[in-house]
Amino acid sequence: MTLDVAGLTVRYGANDPPALSGVSFSLRAGEKIALTGNNGAGKSTLLLTLVGILTPESGKIILKGQEIDRKSTGALRENIGLVLQNPDDQLFMPAVYDDIAFGLRSHGKPEAETARVVHEVMEKLGIGGLGERLSGRLSGGEKRLAALAGVLVMRPDILLLDEPAAFLDPPSRGRLTGILAELPQAMILATHDRDLAETLCDRELRLERGHLAP
Ligand SMILES: Nc1ncnc2c1ncn2[C@@H]1O[C@H](COP(=O)(O)OP(=O)(O)OP(=O)(O)O)[C@@H](O)[C@H]1O
Ligand SMILES: [Mg+2]
């Protein structure tokens, strides 16, 4: 089991109702799970909690058998890559290439190796020509692919993707589906896209107002 979640409850404000209530499930190595549910059901909240951006009020996250506490949330970031629902929240370097290369550089990867991996991922995603462009001036779909590239270059053990195909045109969506299908990593894919969920995923977890549907 690569990730176990038990009784996860998350609240944004002390007086808010829980955005997630008692969510429990396990993600096995290599498994692809579709995370579905209506707007506001808690999909993004779950993904943000699994990488340690949000802190649960209660419940456990167990990564490769190790229970995560407040001091060990770094392990979540090291092992889990999240592509945010809104790429404007993810891209932060002016040039696209620098944005995608950021994670590798900050892990001290030599520039030549960084360039090789970044170019390979960009080509695969069909954004090979965008490296010199300003991230803020890309189209919505181009931003989404650039944000995804920045996570894929890191080859995390677990990939969390929040609406990865939203706003993509059919060729980009097709490329993305092919790439995700080939990746050996475990992933959780939050999506309203039934077709994508059925093509890619082994099973579905459905959230209803913060609870996992039976
Ligand atoms: N920053 C926030 N502060 C307060 N409440 C929030 C915040 N973000 C989300 N919520 C609330 O938490 C609940 C779950 O939201 P979440 O974004 O996880 O839903 P979602 O399933 O990802 O929806 P969508 O399909 O629209 O992306 C909703 O009731 C939402 O209003
Ligand atoms: Mg969401």
Side-chain angles (χ1 to χ4, degrees), residues 12-13 16 19 37-46 85 162-163 192:
Y12 281 95
D16 293 343
N38 293 344
N39 294 135
K43 303 180 295 298
S44 297
T45 303
L46 176 58
Q85 182 162 15
D162 205 343
E163 286 294 353
H192 296 291

